[in-house]
Amino acid sequence: QVQLVESGGGLVQAGGSLRLSCAASGRTFSSGAMGWFRRAPGKEREFVATISRSGGITSYADSVKGRFTISRDNAKNTVYLQMNSLKPEDTAVYYCAFSFFGYTDSSPQRFGSWGQGTQVTVSS
């Protein structure tokens, strides 16, 4: 089991930036893909981004493409989400997740471990 702890959330004005981090425990971190998801108030959880175990393959939701960047540092057991040009509609609780697949698509069912989430609020 991989345990995940997110950090870096907060309040930012529209157009600003935030960098989320997700620290993982356990030796299996580098063997699996990682993903970021979010849940806005009153809405379903939605996919944001995923990255393969090596970091060589990434994919993004259309709503964040060109503004968000997912990356990982396997030596530090950490995955990041750099968020630029933030919009009020990006306001949500952001969750990182671990998958035992080396690469995966956006299906939440393929992720076996989840963090507790970090709040991101973008003011207009």
Side-chain angles (χ1 to χ4, degrees), residues 6-88:
E6 302 95 337
S7 62
L11 173 64
V12 64
Q13 289 188 332
S17 298
L18 281 175
R19 188 196 196 200
L20 305 184
S21 299
C22 173
S25 64
R27 299 180 181 179
T28 57
F29 173 80
S30 61
S31 67
M34 293 293 297
W36 285 97
F37 293 78
R38 66 187 182 186
R39 188 191 299 270
K43 294 187 177 181
E44 298 286 323
R45 178 178 56 188
E46 67 172 348
F47 164 75
V48 175
T50 187
I51 187 167
S52 63
R53 62 186 175 189
S54 68
I57 302 173
T58 58
S59 64
Y60 298 90
D62 287 342
S63 59
V64 307
K65 202 171 293 183
R67 299 188 298 121
F68 291 11
T69 302
I70 188 172
S71 61
R72 66 189 296 166
D73 185 338
N74 286 342
K76 296 182 178 180
N77 277 16
T78 302
V79 64
Y80 306 96
L81 185 68
Q82 178 67 44
M83 305 186 295
N84 298 329
S85 302
L86 282 161
K87 305 174 181 180

Side-chain angles (χ1 to χ4, degrees), residues 88-117:
E89 51 263 44
D90 294 318
T91 295
V93 178
Y94 283 72
Y95 301 89
C96 66
F98 171 82
S99 172
F100 281 104
F101 295 96
Y103 171 73
T104 184
D105 58 20
S106 60
S107 302
Q109 295 84 352
R110 291 174 67 87
F111 292 86
S113 296
W114 294 80
Q116 294 299 305

